[in-house]
Amino acid sequence: MNQVQGIVKNIGVTGLGQVITAFMAFILMIYLARFLGEADFGKYNFALSLTTLLATFTDLGVNQLLVREIARERDQSDRYVNNAVLLKVPLSFLTMGVIVSISWIMGLEGDMKFIVYLFGAYNILLTISGTYLSLFQAWERMEYVTLFQTVERLFIVGLGLAVLLMGYGVIEVALVYLIAGFIDITFSALLSFRKFIRPSFRIEPGFQKDLLVMGLPFGLNSLFAVFFFKIDSVILGLMKGDVAVGIYNAAYNPLLSLSSIAAGMVSAAIYPVMSRYFRGNREFLHDFTVVSSRYLVIIGLPIAAGCFVLADRFIALFYGGGYAAAALPFQILAIFIPIRLVSTITGTLLSSIDRQGYRMLAVGLSAVFNIILNIILIPIYSYIGASVATVASEFLLYLLFLFYIGRHYRELKMHGSFIKPAAAAVIMALVVYAIRAMNLAIIICVASAIYTAVLILLGTFNEDDKMLFRKLVGMDS
């Protein structure tokens, strides 16, 4: 298996897992929205967003550091993973203390406080189990990551739907997540010990200190990223209440899940490869980044165009008539899909070339920009303002990534290759608008055929694409 085949295999395996888990999560989200109603659905999203943000203190970037370092030194896997897990035990108690303190400062009471505690414990357990997933990713054994994520999501969706159908509410759903957290850490640890490493309780304080120091830029990046994606729900809940949070997340969650499938499957597969090639073949790394960005734009643009034109149809399909107000924020948020996909590639490049500090800075600046925009726009425009802030902040992040890559690595000249896919997406959107009253399945098939045909007619694919295809099928190793 050549390098291209290996990358595509890992992307395919990761993509399958992402599709399965995202689909299951999406089904659960729809039923949560319908069974809980706007207010309780807002509580669910508020608690999950807040605790996901605070749980980053359990990891502080160690998991991402492990992927890069183990990919370069696989013989050190035992030492890295065992020390990282032992390091996270005290960090877990620290994080839970932060969650309790923030809940008290916010004045959360009754059910809301209990829900936050349950989701907080779940996210802490998920972060620890993620240490073992970092091991699988570094070894480029993405099938184990897919297996783990699928089992976890099956449990949450299956038991979560059962809880909803039996008439229980958001507290019981949070308990399902907590049980899943314990299953996560048990299953991932056993799989690691059986396939890759030996468990050890030997603590190396000096090495753990190095992990914290080296991982801190990754940790701050993760913290800023969670702020970037979750702070809008928190601010919206504090300023406009649970109903506004419910409407906003009815629009945001499907699009975030959709973009996460493509972004997650690609970044997880290419991060170890990029990290190795930065040491051995920098020219390949540059070309690989440009080609990857181009293909993600080709994927993302028609998705964004279709979601924009058919927003009301998708919202009605997902939620019935209860969330009609979510159609406009759905249209606005659809714009961020291709931007986010390309940002995933450029951000991964910064981490792989040991410039994670600049990635952290870019995400931090964008998160601050996002917070400021939310504070300005939400009091006036509610969830519409939050949607605009998300798109604007995503675009700023993309520009900052390009700036730091050009300054500390080399300039990425790739925008010219985006023109033809953009033209094809516009033509596709016009046709979709003309036939938007037809069956959705037929519209999607017609749109896909038109987009592909226009790409070919415009001469989008060149000799490099043909060479990649030959490598993929094994005709050129």
Side-chain angles (χ1 to χ4, degrees), residues 48 54 76 237 282-283 303 437:
L48 194 56
L54 297 176
Q76 295 293 311
R282 297 193 178 191
E283 188 63 34
I303 295 174

PDB file of all heavy atoms in Angstrom, residues 48 54 76 237 282-283 303 437:
ATOM      1  N   LEU A  48     -24.154  21.363  27.886  1.00  0.00           N
ATOM      2  CA  LEU A  48     -23.149  20.649  27.107  1.00  0.00           C
ATOM      3  C   LEU A  48     -22.075  21.605  26.586  1.00  0.00           C
ATOM      4  O   LEU A  48     -20.881  21.286  26.595  1.00  0.00           O
ATOM      5  CB  LEU A  48     -23.825  19.909  25.949  1.00  0.00           C
ATOM      6  CG  LEU A  48     -22.993  18.855  25.219  1.00  0.00           C
ATOM      7  CD1 LEU A  48     -22.465  17.801  26.188  1.00  0.00           C
ATOM      8  CD2 LEU A  48     -23.819  18.190  24.131  1.00  0.00           C
ATOM      9  N   LEU A  54     -15.158  23.903  29.595  1.00  0.00           N
ATOM     10  CA  LEU A  54     -14.377  23.805  30.823  1.00  0.00           C
ATOM     11  C   LEU A  54     -13.561  22.518  30.901  1.00  0.00           C
ATOM     12  O   LEU A  54     -12.513  22.476  31.560  1.00  0.00           O
ATOM     13  CB  LEU A  54     -15.305  23.910  32.041  1.00  0.00           C
ATOM     14  CG  LEU A  54     -16.046  25.243  32.192  1.00  0.00           C
ATOM     15  CD1 LEU A  54     -17.004  25.189  33.367  1.00  0.00           C
ATOM     16  CD2 LEU A  54     -15.053  26.390  32.358  1.00  0.00           C
ATOM     17  N   GLN A  76       8.186   4.965  21.868  1.00  0.00           N
ATOM     18  CA  GLN A  76       7.960   5.645  23.138  1.00  0.00           C
ATOM     19  C   GLN A  76       6.476   5.706  23.516  1.00  0.00           C
ATOM     20  O   GLN A  76       6.105   6.451  24.425  1.00  0.00           O
ATOM     21  CB  GLN A  76       8.523   7.071  23.065  1.00  0.00           C
ATOM     22  CG  GLN A  76      10.029   7.144  22.894  1.00  0.00           C
ATOM     23  CD  GLN A  76      10.762   6.621  24.119  1.00  0.00           C
ATOM     24  OE1 GLN A  76      10.461   7.004  25.249  1.00  0.00           O
ATOM     25  NE2 GLN A  76      11.721   5.735  23.899  1.00  0.00           N
ATOM     26  N   GLY A 237     -27.740  32.088  25.798  1.00  0.00           N
ATOM     27  CA  GLY A 237     -28.558  31.641  26.920  1.00  0.00           C
ATOM     28  C   GLY A 237     -28.616  32.668  28.033  1.00  0.00           C
ATOM     29  O   GLY A 237     -29.681  32.893  28.630  1.00  0.00           O
ATOM     30  N   ARG A 282       9.514  18.288   2.829  1.00  0.00           N
ATOM     31  CA  ARG A 282       8.710  19.501   2.986  1.00  0.00           C
ATOM     32  C   ARG A 282       8.013  19.922   1.695  1.00  0.00           C
ATOM     33  O   ARG A 282       6.949  20.535   1.737  1.00  0.00           O
ATOM     34  CB  ARG A 282       9.592  20.642   3.502  1.00  0.00           C
ATOM     35  CG  ARG A 282      10.163  20.374   4.882  1.00  0.00           C
ATOM     36  CD  ARG A 282      10.752  21.613   5.512  1.00  0.00           C
ATOM     37  NE  ARG A 282      11.261  21.337   6.851  1.00  0.00           N
ATOM     38  CZ  ARG A 282      11.631  22.275   7.709  1.00  0.00           C
ATOM     39  NH1 ARG A 282      11.568  23.552   7.358  1.00  0.00           N
ATOM     40  NH2 ARG A 282      12.067  21.941   8.906  1.00  0.00           N
ATOM     41  N   GLU A 283       8.590  19.583   0.559  1.00  0.00           N
ATOM     42  CA  GLU A 283       7.946  19.922  -0.707  1.00  0.00           C
ATOM     43  C   GLU A 283       6.647  19.147  -0.861  1.00  0.00           C
ATOM     44  O   GLU A 283       5.627  19.685  -1.297  1.00  0.00           O
ATOM     45  CB  GLU A 283       8.889  19.615  -1.872  1.00  0.00           C
ATOM     46  CG  GLU A 283       8.380  20.116  -3.221  1.00  0.00           C
ATOM     47  CD  GLU A 283       8.244  21.630  -3.264  1.00  0.00           C
ATOM     48  OE1 GLU A 283       9.050  22.330  -2.624  1.00  0.00           O
ATOM     49  OE2 GLU A 283       7.305  22.116  -3.937  1.00  0.00           O
ATOM     50  N   ILE A 303     -22.318  21.783  -0.765  1.00  0.00           N
ATOM     51  CA  ILE A 303     -23.089  21.545   0.460  1.00  0.00           C
ATOM     52  C   ILE A 303     -23.620  22.865   1.003  1.00  0.00           C
ATOM     53  O   ILE A 303     -24.798  22.990   1.359  1.00  0.00           O
ATOM     54  CB  ILE A 303     -22.216  20.840   1.511  1.00  0.00           C
ATOM     55  CG1 ILE A 303     -21.826  19.446   1.033  1.00  0.00           C
ATOM     56  CG2 ILE A 303     -22.955  20.757   2.846  1.00  0.00           C
ATOM     57  CD1 ILE A 303     -20.847  18.730   1.954  1.00  0.00           C
ATOM     58  N   ALA A 437     -39.237  22.849  -5.368  1.00  0.00           N
ATOM     59  CA  ALA A 437     -40.507  22.274  -4.928  1.00  0.00           C
ATOM     60  C   ALA A 437     -40.559  20.763  -5.130  1.00  0.00           C
ATOM     61  O   ALA A 437     -41.479  20.103  -4.645  1.00  0.00           O
ATOM     62  CB  ALA A 437     -41.662  22.935  -5.672  1.00  0.00           C
TER      63      ALA A 437
END
